[in-house]
């Protein structure tokens, strides 16, 4: 069965045209759902070069590069562009190595006409570290200026990134090559066979399911996940908005692809990743007797998820400590205490 037939019944992500900062802030972001932002990046110089040719875009990227080494992912043709684990889960089916941007781009151009090319990707190249001159030439004014943003560039051929979630919000702008996002709300993690949690391809746990050829005998609940999927098909110049922790599988559909991602969080600066909290909870709660786990669940509901409302209103505001408006000194002391407990 072809990929298109397999996913034919999936919903399509809504498309929004002529998006400006006000419309993004007032209409799109409050939905807390993915959205295609049609043509958002089509006027960028990079997109114009891509319309000329792949080689023109490669030369453009070199013109804005500062020559810093980049990290490249290289996999044999047999993996069909799907980066993942080795069969024994002791390593990966691809190699990560430092390279130059020129070498990476030349390899992509060299193999662009191959029927079965090796999988090649420059993964999340930090724009400040690698292409600072691109910052002014890839403008995006949808993100409120008070939020810090991380901007990264991805280049590759027909590669697939396994389904995963990211903590920050993300606007992914396609410069070259068609791209497909297959999207799921986070509650579908239970049906996507995520794992391992602490040994990952690139810092985040990923689905073990091959979205092109799913093994329904091995992964039967994936059929349920497919009922909740939606697909965002992007043309060059389009962008997709991904709210925090929406699960997404990403694939480039053409022999040469490039994308610029804008990541940001709206949480207070002191907030660490909740994923670290989950790993810590696994370390401290997972193997407790069931009745003790249930007791701690009630405390998490009370103090973290606030299922009964704000739990500390009986305490004076100045005395609520970390639960209230903690001072920078209190936050430093708490982090130091938690760091110390991890070494016990």
């Amino acid at each position: 069965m072809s990929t298109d037939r397999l996913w034919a019944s999936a919903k399509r992500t809504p498309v929004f045209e002529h998006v400006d900062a006000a419309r993004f802030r007032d209409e799109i972001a409050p939905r807390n759902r993915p959205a295609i932002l049609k043509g958002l990046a089509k006027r960028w110089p990079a997109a114009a070069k891509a319309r000329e040719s792949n080689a023109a875009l490669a030369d453009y990227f070199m013109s804005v590069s500062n020559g810093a080494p980049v990290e490249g992912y290289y996999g044999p043709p047999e993996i069909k562009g799907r980066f993942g684990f080795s069969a024994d889960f002791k390593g990966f089916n691809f190699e990560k190595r430092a390279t130059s941007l020129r070498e990476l781009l030349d390899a992509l151009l060299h193999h662009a006409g191959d029927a079965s090319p090796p999988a090649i990707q420059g993964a999340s190249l930090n724009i400040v570290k690698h292409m600072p001159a691109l910052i002014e030439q890839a403008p995006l004014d949808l993100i409120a200026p008070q939020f810090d943003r991380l901007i990264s560039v991805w280049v590759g051929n027909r590669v697939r990134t396994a389904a995963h979630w990211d903590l920050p919000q993300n606007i992914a702008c396609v410069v070259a090559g068609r791209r497909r996002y297959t999207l799921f709300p986070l509650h579908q993690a239970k049906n996507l066979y995520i794992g391992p949690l602490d040994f990952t391809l690139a810092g985040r746990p990923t689905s073990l399911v091959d979205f092109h050829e799913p093994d329904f005998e091995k992964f039967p609940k994936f059929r349920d996940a497919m009922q909740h999927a939606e697909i965002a098909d992007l043309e060059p110049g389009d962008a997709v908005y991904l709210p925090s922790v929406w699960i997404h599988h990403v694939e480039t559909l053409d022999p040469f692809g490039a994308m610029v991602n804008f990541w940001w969080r709206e949480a207070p600066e002191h907030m660490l990743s909740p994923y670290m909290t989950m790993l810590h909870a696994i370390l401290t709660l997972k193997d407790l007797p069931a009745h003790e786990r249930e007791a701690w669940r009630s405390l998490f509901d009370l103090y973290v998820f606030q299922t009964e409302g704000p739990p500390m209103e009986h305490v004076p505001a100045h005395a609520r400590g970390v639960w209230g408006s903690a001072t920078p000194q209190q936050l430093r002391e708490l982090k130091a205490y938690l760091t110390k407990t991890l070494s016990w």
Side-chain angles (χ1 to χ4, degrees):
M1 179 182 293
S2 72
T3 300
D4 286 342
R5 288 183 59 196
L6 182 67
W7 296 97
S9 61
K11 294 180 294 186
R12 263 44 188 179
T13 300
V15 177
F16 295 81
E17 300 191 52
H18 311 297
V19 175
D20 58 15
R23 190 178 185 201
F24 180 75
R25 180 192 65 234
D26 298 336
E27 179 182 354
I28 297 172
R31 297 171 61 250
N32 195 38
R33 296 190 62 86
I36 294 174
L37 313 179
K38 191 68 180 174
L40 188 70
K42 68 180 180 180
R43 293 187 176 87
W44 290 359
K49 291 295 182 182
R51 288 192 290 270
E52 290 181 26
S53 67
N54 295 335
L57 177 60
D59 288 342
Y60 171 78
F61 279 150
M62 289 306 304
S63 74
V64 296
S65 170
N66 60 7
V70 302
E71 183 175 59
Y73 291 3
Y74 298 87
E78 299 80 62
I79 71 172
K80 300 179 181 179
R82 180 176 175 248
F83 294 123
F85 295 100
S86 59
D88 61 6
F89 279 83
K90 294 181 179 180
F92 307 119
N93 66 357
F94 63 98
E95 176 189 4
K96 299 180 184 180
R97 65 173 183 260
T99 185
S100 69
L101 182 60
R102 181 76 270 175
E103 180 181 357
L104 182 72
L105 293 169
D106 285 348
L108 289 169
L109 293 172
H110 176 74
H111 291 287
D114 292 4
S116 298
I120 304 171
Q121 180 170 259
S124 195
L125 312 180
N126 185 299
I127 197 170
V128 173
K129 182 178 179 180
H130 297 100
M131 300 180 183
L134 187 60
I135 295 175
E136 299 299 324
Q137 299 183 48
L140 185 73
D141 63 356
L142 303 189
I143 304 168
Q146 68 266 31
F147 300 123
D148 291 335
R149 64 186 71 182
L150 172 67
I151 310 174
S152 59
V153 177
W154 300 71
V155 292
N157 54 6
R158 283 194 178 97
V159 294
R160 292 187 271 157
T161 301
H164 63 283
W165 66 79
D166 294 309
L167 176 60
Q169 299 182 74
N170 177 17
I171 295 177
C173 303
V174 177
V175 171
R178 295 167 302 138
R179 196 166 294 249
R180 168 169 288 188
Y181 279 74
T182 306
L183 306 160
F184 306 85
L186 189 61
H187 65 73
Q188 284 305 302
K190 64 186 178 183
N191 294 324
L192 288 168
Y193 299 90
I194 303 291
L197 295 179
D198 52 353
F199 175 55
T200 65
L201 305 180
R204 296 164 298 281
T206 55
S207 172
L208 302 182
V209 181
D210 183 341
F211 277 36
H212 283 194
E213 300 177 281
D215 183 341
F216 291 116
E217 290 188 5
K218 188 175 182 180
F219 305 121
K221 293 190 294 183
F222 186 62
R223 291 187 186 277
D224 296 326
M226 293 177 68
Q227 301 305 309
H228 296 268
E230 63 179 73
I231 289 177
D233 281 330
L234 307 177
E235 298 289 332
D238 294 343
V240 62
Y241 166 59
L242 298 179
S244 174
V245 298
W246 266 79
I247 297 173
H248 49 288
H249 173 279
V250 191
E251 55 187 301
T252 303
L253 305 179
D254 290 314
F256 191 104
M259 179 175 67
V260 180
N261 279 4
F262 295 78
W263 317 80
W264 78 102
R265 292 188 69 191
E266 297 183 7
E269 186 176 352
H270 71 267
M271 296 290 286
L272 304 177
S273 169
Y275 187 65
M276 297 298 102
T277 307
M278 187 175 75
L279 291 179
H280 196 178
I282 290 172
L283 182 65
T284 58
L285 298 174
K286 179 178 72 69
D287 294 326
L288 290 178
H291 66 279
E292 292 188 25
R293 290 201 309 272
E294 199 59 35
W296 281 102
R297 183 201 300 271
S298 69
L299 289 179
F300 272 63
D301 283 344
L302 178 64
Y303 289 110
V304 179
F305 300 109
Q306 305 173 58
T307 55
E308 303 296 325
M312 298 290 283
E313 299 210 327
H314 56 285
V315 178
H318 70 273
R320 292 173 188 171
V322 70
W323 207 96
S325 299
T327 66
Q329 178 62 27
Q330 287 174 312
L331 292 172
R332 284 193 296 270
E333 291 173 354
L334 178 60
K335 290 178 182 179
Y337 171 73
L338 292 175
T339 300
K340 182 179 178 180
T341 64
L342 288 173
S343 65
W344 287 356

